[in-house]
Amino acid sequence: MAARDLVDTCTLEVTAKDIPALAAVAGRIRPGTAISIPYLPREDDDARLAAARAVRELGFTPMPHLSARRIGSLAALDRFLQRAVADAGVERCFVIAGDPPVPAGPFADSAALIGTGLLERAGIRMVGVGGHPEGHPAMTVAQGWQVLGDKCRDIQQRGMAPLIITQFAFDAGVVLAWLDTLRAQGIGHPVRIGVPGPASIPLLARYAAMCGVSASASVLSRYGISIGRLLGTAGPDVFVDRLAAGLAGTSAPVGLHLFPFGGIARSLDWMERYRLRDGQ
């Protein structure tokens, strides 16, 4: 798989508050690109739905997140889904358990949310679930693979398409090994590999700490960050190069999912430079 193919088909994660920034650069983004909209605790459903509508109106495909433990009731989930499909043409969503240790309603995890049947009845056609190349913080490795496989099977049996979106990582070798194991587990669904867009090194380290991502000196060096320049900015060039090299000669359904921690415009600048690099 060519590195340029990974970049050209990249999807993006954009918060509701960053929709104006997305609108300002919309002409630089491939029409139809999937835009993932996180479920943030400081925002209500109206803000999330407004973001999804704006994404659709800009010519992109909205993919709102559903945070199971933050949803207060079956009725609240149904109401959100009905509005998302009717008002914003939503056909795909990304389901996560969410951070709260105690659920606000009846959903302890994303599997419980999928199991309601409300997604397919509302008209959702694709359901994203999380992948964890560095392991899940609350599960053993074996449990993690079992849960991921079960969720993908349940989604498929309900007539929807599974999509796996991974947490971002700094070590392409770890991601490639995880992809090998994923396929060995018999899970052949499309995968989007989370990758941070260019940002200051302290900002990347802060997000890594928040998300439980390994960011030791040795891991950062494999990403292309030298300990001698911790106050600089880093982009994912080395990571994407190594990922593409590891996927060379395969037709695996793998793409990138970009987290624009340093800003959407800066991430697009990087994508454009990367395409032109070495005459690509």
Side-chain angles (χ1 to χ4, degrees), residues 9 11-12 65 119 132-133 140 147 150 208 211 237 261 279:
T9 59
T11 58
L12 297 168
H65 292 201
L119 299 179
H132 301 273
T140 66
V147 167
D150 288 347
C211 300
D237 301 67
F261 296 141

Side-chain angles (χ1 to χ4, degrees), residues 174-195:
V174 168
V175 173
L176 288 165
W178 177 86
L179 283 169
D180 286 343
T181 305
L182 180 79
R183 301 317 182 195
Q185 293 282 330
I187 302 173
H189 305 298
V191 177
R192 289 280 171 179
I193 302 298
V195 58

Side-chain angles (χ1 to χ4, degrees), residues 148-239:
L148 179 59
D150 288 347
K151 281 192 286 192
C152 288
R153 279 189 291 274
D154 194 16
I155 291 165
Q156 202 164 28
Q157 287 167 3
R158 293 174 181 279
M160 300 176 290
L163 171 68
I164 301 167
I165 302 177
T166 77
Q167 178 59 278
F168 73 91
F170 294 121
D171 189 337
V174 168
V175 173
L176 288 165
W178 177 86
L179 283 169
D180 286 343
T181 305
L182 180 79
R183 301 317 182 195
Q185 293 282 330
I187 302 173
H189 305 298
V191 177
R192 289 280 171 179
I193 302 298
V195 58
S200 72
I201 296 170
L203 182 62
L204 290 173
R206 189 156 65 247
Y207 273 108
M210 289 168 53
C211 300
V213 172
S214 296
S216 65
S218 61
V219 168
L220 290 176
S221 70
R222 288 192 286 276
Y223 189 71
I225 295 174
S226 130
I227 296 303
R229 63 179 198 87
L230 289 182
L231 296 181
T233 297
D237 301 67
V238 172
F239 179 93

Side-chain angles (χ1 to χ4, degrees), residues 2-95:
R4 181 169 182 170
D5 293 335
L6 289 172
V7 174
D8 283 346
T9 59
C10 193
T11 58
L12 297 168
E13 187 146 316
V14 177
T15 66
K17 69 180 179 59
D18 288 327
I19 292 297
L22 177 68
V25 297
R28 300 171 60 189
I29 302 172
R30 178 173 50 87
T33 293
I35 305 293
S36 180
I37 306 165
Y39 192 109
L40 300 180
R42 298 177 302 279
E43 297 167 351
D44 59 17
D45 282 354
D46 286 340
R48 298 179 190 110
L49 289 163
R53 284 195 300 273
V55 167
R56 176 65 69 189
E57 289 165 1
L58 289 168
F60 308 125
T61 301
M63 186 173 191
H65 292 201
L66 297 171
S67 180
R69 292 179 191 155
R70 295 188 187 278
I71 297 173
S73 68
L74 196 68
L77 172 63
D78 188 36
R79 188 163 52 247
F80 179 86
L81 288 169
Q82 294 294 336
R83 292 178 65 191
V85 172
D87 298 347
V90 168
E91 294 183 340
R92 59 177 72 186
C93 61
F94 180 66
V95 295

